[in-house]
Amino acid sequence: MTKRDIIAIGGSMGAIEAAKDLLAGLPDDFPAAVLMVIHVGARGLNHLAAMFEPNSRLPVTTAVDGDMLEQGHVYVAAADHHLIVVDGIIRLGKGPRENLARPAVDPLLRSVAISYGPRAVGVILSGLLNDGAAGLAAIARCGGATAVQNPADSKASDMPLGALYGTDVDYRGSAADLATVLTELVTQDVETSFEVPADLELEVRIALGRRSDSSTISTIADVTPISCPSCGGVLSQMRSGPPLRFRCQVGHAFTAEVLAEEQEPSVDEAIRTALRIIEERVVLLEKMAVQATQAGHTYSAREYEQRSGELREQATVLRTAVMRPGAALALEMGHSHALTTS
């Protein structure tokens, strides 16, 4: 038997405020290491540690590759690097982005799950989309405890809701409440034995930057007729879940929710392009019909008018398919431009 001694926290939009509240509630003798990933983008300047330190009784630093974890210390992910833990040592991975992010929350949670098992606690704070849902499920799968910020208490509820949908979460509450929960959890005895799933080990290696190709991905996922929005490669559906996830041969990873969100602009653009081409074709056919009529070619004029009418119906279908107000406005502008320049 041993105590829980590793806390992994993830979030994005709204998570900075939540993390400040959580850290403010942890005592200065907190007997566990705390690791934190908050989406900061590839060009972040690693200011998060300095932002958190005034609210924390524990020292807060940006994670450094090769450092040994210390209890009572908070480590914040460095920009453009996945934060990974291997045998109690911090590793900064340059593996492919997950859910369009590096650092991403899932790699941290997976690495903590396979390194610590029941000794680990995973926490998901406020954020958009559902990065972290798969990682929290990995924590639970290896016997660790799980907690989420109450969606109603979150600035952005997507990540807490995604985590709740993805696994049976043990605890939820406000950020301040979660500090109390963590303080209690680290005092509890837990079993040390657990089985490390091979698929989680492979995903951690990918996040570290190890080689990933079709044969590697085929051991944990099945090929689908969907392309990767990051590199154009073929995506494979992960066999473990929920949540529903995909990886390409290069290793880019997406939940279905993030993938759908990323594909939507491409769909809108394709519809806009198709609509523009059809409406330009309508204008051309109408001009051809007028010219045929003037030349006395009645049959040809009727053919051009019929075809232009069919294309107008197709344009109406495409226009109806565009639901978002911004996209509809762009279509109206494109339609006006086509008619003006005809």
Side-chain angles (χ1 to χ4, degrees):
M1 303 290 288
T2 187
K3 307 289 186 183
R4 295 189 175 95
D5 57 358
I6 186 82
I7 313 295
I9 301 171
S12 63
M13 180 179 178
I16 292 178
E17 295 80 1
K20 288 179 178 179
D21 290 343
L22 191 157
L23 292 176
L26 298 180
D28 55 12
D29 59 350
F30 190 67
V34 180
L35 298 105
M36 190 177 303
V37 167
I38 294 179
H39 295 165
V40 293
R43 298 184 180 182
L45 299 177
N46 295 324
H47 292 325
L48 285 179
M51 293 172 61
F52 290 140
E53 195 160 28
N55 298 82
S56 176
R57 298 184 182 91
L58 307 175
V60 184
T61 58
T62 301
V64 176
D65 190 71
D67 278 2
M68 297 263 320
L69 286 183
E70 297 179 9
Q71 292 187 357
H73 197 111
V74 180
Y75 302 89
V76 181
D80 202 31
H81 291 79
H82 293 309
L83 177 55
I84 307 292
V85 178
V86 180
D87 297 328
I89 298 174
I90 291 174
R91 298 301 310 277
L92 301 184
K94 286 288 284 186
R97 299 180 188 280
E98 295 203 23
N99 293 317
L100 307 174
R102 188 175 59 215
V105 178
D106 282 335
L108 169 62
L109 296 180
R110 281 191 210 104
S111 72
V112 165
I114 67 173
S115 292
Y116 290 87
R119 295 162 57 191
V121 182
V123 181
I124 297 298
L125 301 178
S126 173
L128 295 172
L129 299 176
N130 63 344
D131 184 28
L136 202 69
I139 294 274
R141 187 176 169 191
C142 293
T146 56
V148 301
Q149 184 178 0
N150 193 323
D153 183 59
S154 305
K155 183 175 182 179
S157 62
D158 290 5
M159 284 182 64
L161 287 173
L164 289 168
Y165 293 150
T167 192
D168 293 327
V169 174
D170 298 315
Y171 306 92
R172 62 175 168 176
S174 68
D177 291 339
L178 291 179
T180 303
V181 169
L182 295 179
T183 303
E184 174 61 27
L185 285 175
V186 295
T187 67
Q188 298 174 356
D189 291 324
V190 293
E191 295 286 346
T192 57
S193 60
F194 69 103
E195 184 175 347
V196 177
D199 60 314
L200 295 184
E201 281 191 303
L202 176 56
E203 290 200 88
V204 170
R205 290 200 296 272
I206 291 172
L208 283 168
R210 304 294 187 266
R211 178 182 175 183
S212 175
D213 54 26
S214 298
S215 60
T216 301
I217 299 300
S218 68
T219 64
I220 57 175
D222 301 308
V223 174
T224 67
I226 307 173
S227 59
C228 174
S230 294
C231 68
V234 176
L235 285 174
S236 295
Q237 181 178 330
M238 298 294 296
R239 298 188 189 112
S240 62
L244 179 61
R245 294 190 299 127
F246 302 86
R247 273 192 185 273
C248 71
Q249 303 100 313
V250 173
H252 297 120
F254 306 88
T255 63
E257 181 178 338
V258 173
L259 184 61
E261 185 77 11
E262 181 67 7
Q263 288 178 331
E264 191 168 347
S266 298
V267 173
D268 286 345
E269 186 61 28
I271 293 175
R272 292 189 189 98
T273 301
L275 184 58
R276 176 183 58 79
I277 293 171
I278 288 174
E279 291 186 330
E280 289 177 355
R281 179 70 171 162
V282 167
V283 171
L284 178 60
L285 286 169
E286 288 176 343
K287 289 182 177 296
M288 293 170 70
V290 170
Q291 186 180 53
T293 299
Q294 291 173 346
H297 299 156
T298 306
Y299 178 80
S300 295
R302 283 200 301 266
E303 286 291 314
Y304 294 143
E305 289 170 354
Q306 180 180 350
R307 182 56 179 152
S308 66
E310 292 171 353
L311 290 175
R312 282 196 179 279
E313 291 178 1
Q314 293 177 17
T316 299
V317 172
L318 288 176
R319 190 178 296 280
T320 302
V322 180
M323 303 300 294
R324 292 202 305 271
L329 177 59
L331 283 171
E332 290 295 337
M333 293 174 65
H335 176 60
S336 298
H337 176 73
L339 295 180
T340 302
T341 58
S342 62

